[in-house]
Amino acid sequence: MINLASDNVVGASKQVLDALIAANSGAEAAYGSDHYTAEAEAMLADVFEHDVKVFLLATGTGANALALAALSPPWGAIFCHEESHVADDECGAPEMFTDGAKLIGLPGVNGKITADRLETAIGRYPKGVVKAVQPAAVSISQVTESGTLYSLEEIARIGEVARRHELGVHLDGARFANAVTALQCSPAEMTWKAGVDVVSFGATKNGCLACEAVVFFDPARAEHFGFRRKRSGHTVSKGRLLGAQMSAYLRNNHWLDNARHANAMAARLVQGLSGSTGVRLPWPSQANEVFAIMPKATAKILADAGVRAAPWYELSVSLPPHEKIGSDEVFWRFVTSFETKAEQIDEVIALAKV
Ligand SMILES: *Cc1c(COP(=O)(O)O)cnc(C)c1O
């Protein structure tokens, strides 16, 4: 079986798991006051070339929802892509943890919102008008849910609109490493230098077992976050187990190496699939996700051979307007990870070449 349904179908990398085992022995202070967590915090400050406030959590949904709660009052409006993870895949956690802020989903092809769209949307909710939710934040995903990337300029333009209207900017970086390696930029350039205030820095999908960081660049924004995390049940008592994962993940560029490998495997798949009859890729594959529209016959050959992918939304608003998935076709997402082998990709390609 070759499982490419997502990058969380694999376990932790050896480097992270070894660090967890090592951190298992001995006594350590609890609730994140341990030296592994302190080390991870210092490493993240280095990674971002900025003073940061860091909070480790076990889930990305927790990271996103609590980060948005730090940016928005209950009467706030949070702008996001209408098919974003925060809107579609978190069971209302952002709404719950903000105590009822309104997520405003914006359309946009390729999984991206634009600065212009954001500006127009903000205009619908006038400041100080009591009957309207008050624009408070914008959330973008990098890598997007369509496997595409915002360019640094696109992020900066969104950041500029946000700043002008006093919105906080959140970046859902569940695949942060894949994005930063693909863009060949620094983490600083992709975040605070482009106007991002808080990052959900994902690590689970790219080598950890269960570890994400919420990273703030302005300590004032982080002021109550410790209470939010505890109150929501996201403060891990043996906090060293998160700290050990994150510090091992960052050590010796392990996180970047993992992401580079995953991205290369996706590029290999794209290359191979482009030679398959009837297969088309509606979105540019810019990191470690490949979305393919394929004949049902091809999909059956893959499935029968044990290849797993994730069936995707056939009516996605992110698809180019002319794109229609035929009744004899499927729309699948393949995601590569740090563990994906070149031979596995080659096998998928060979099967798809019918
Ligand atoms: C996986 C993912 C998350 C985090 O999800 P959890 O399952 O809660 O860890 C957040 N955003 C995006 C875009 C994701 O793909």
Side-chain angles (χ1 to χ4, degrees):
M1 145 113 90
I2 301 175
N3 194 333
L4 299 172
S6 188
D7 34 7
N8 57 11
V9 299
V10 297
S13 71
K14 181 169 171 6
Q15 180 161 325
V16 169
L17 200 59
D18 286 350
L20 267 172
I21 291 167
N24 185 55
S25 13
E28 273 289 337
Y31 298 111
S33 303
D34 59 281
H35 85 267
Y36 299 98
T37 299
E39 186 183 14
E41 287 166 3
M43 290 171 101
L44 280 166
D46 275 353
V47 160
F48 283 102
E49 304 172 78
H50 202 284
D51 284 340
V52 288
K53 288 279 179 213
V54 171
F55 298 85
L56 301 181
L57 296 92
T59 75
T61 296
N64 283 343
L66 295 172
L68 292 175
L71 296 182
S72 177
W75 51 87
I78 298 167
F79 301 95
C80 58
H81 190 278
E82 68 178 279
E83 289 174 358
S84 59
H85 201 273
V86 290
D88 274 3
D89 300 298
E90 300 189 353
C91 198
E95 291 90 335
M96 182 169 83
F97 288 119
T98 54
D99 290 322
K102 189 176 171 79
L103 292 193
I104 313 263
L106 307 180
V109 291
N110 293 349
K112 299 198 273 186
I113 60 171
T114 64
D116 287 348
R117 222 13 128 172
L118 174 63
E119 181 113 47
T120 310
I122 292 168
R124 289 181 55 202
Y125 305 91
K127 245 199 171 140
V129 173
V130 171
K131 68 177 184 178
V133 282
Q134 297 293 288
V138 55
S139 177
I140 57 172
S141 303
Q142 180 82 324
V143 180
T144 73
E145 287 76 4
S146 299
T148 59
L149 292 169
Y150 287 92
S151 68
L152 298 184
E153 296 71 34
E154 287 170 328
I155 299 174
R157 258 179 265 134
I158 288 169
E160 190 275 315
V161 171
R163 196 158 42 255
R164 202 149 24 78
H165 294 276
E166 298 177 321
L167 268 61
V169 181
H170 168 248
L171 187 139
D172 175 357
R175 299 188 175 89
F176 191 98
N178 304 92
V180 91
T181 51
L183 286 179
Q184 300 186 328
C185 66
S186 71
E189 286 167 332
M190 206 171 79
T191 57
W192 61 270
K193 287 188 178 174
V196 173
D197 296 301
V198 53
V199 178
S200 296
F201 182 85
T204 304
K205 284 173 173 152
N206 188 43
C208 285
L209 201 55
C211 188
E212 316 274 312
V214 176
V215 180
F216 290 91
F217 302 112
D218 173 3
R221 296 235 192 234
E223 196 187 343
H224 302 124
F225 199 88
F227 299 107
R228 288 189 193 286
R229 184 178 57 170
K230 178 63 183 168
R231 186 178 153 84
S232 64
H234 278 101
T235 300
V236 170
S237 120
K238 294 185 180 175
R240 74 171 102 173
L241 300 176
L242 295 181
Q245 288 182 75
M246 186 57 79
S247 48
Y249 178 70
L250 297 173
R251 190 164 296 121
N252 300 329
N253 289 330
H254 180 55
W255 63 301
L256 297 171
D257 293 341
N258 280 359
R260 235 175 258 122
H261 174 79
N263 289 359
M265 292 301 102
R268 191 180 183 102
L269 182 58
V270 167
Q271 177 92 41
L273 287 181
S274 61
S276 304
T277 317
V279 176
R280 56 192 194 282
L281 312 181
W283 294 317
S285 168
Q286 295 183 297
N288 66 323
E289 296 175 273
V290 180
F291 292 83
I293 299 167
M294 303 186 293
K296 276 190 176 155
T298 308
K300 186 172 181 330
I301 291 169
L302 291 176
D304 288 350
V307 177
R308 294 282 168 276
W312 213 246
Y313 317 123
E314 301 203 351
L315 300 174
S316 169
V317 297
S318 285
L319 286 168
H322 59 84
E323 190 59 82
K324 287 268 175 301
I325 290 137
S327 56
D328 55 346
E329 293 180 317
V330 300
F331 185 22
W332 277 6
R333 179 187 78 165
F334 300 87
V335 190
T336 54
S337 76
F338 65 95
E339 283 217 332
T340 307
K341 305 272 180 294
E343 304 80 71
Q344 295 179 309
I345 296 298
D346 293 346
E347 199 176 326
V348 174
I349 294 167
L351 288 163
K353 264 204 179 93
V354 282

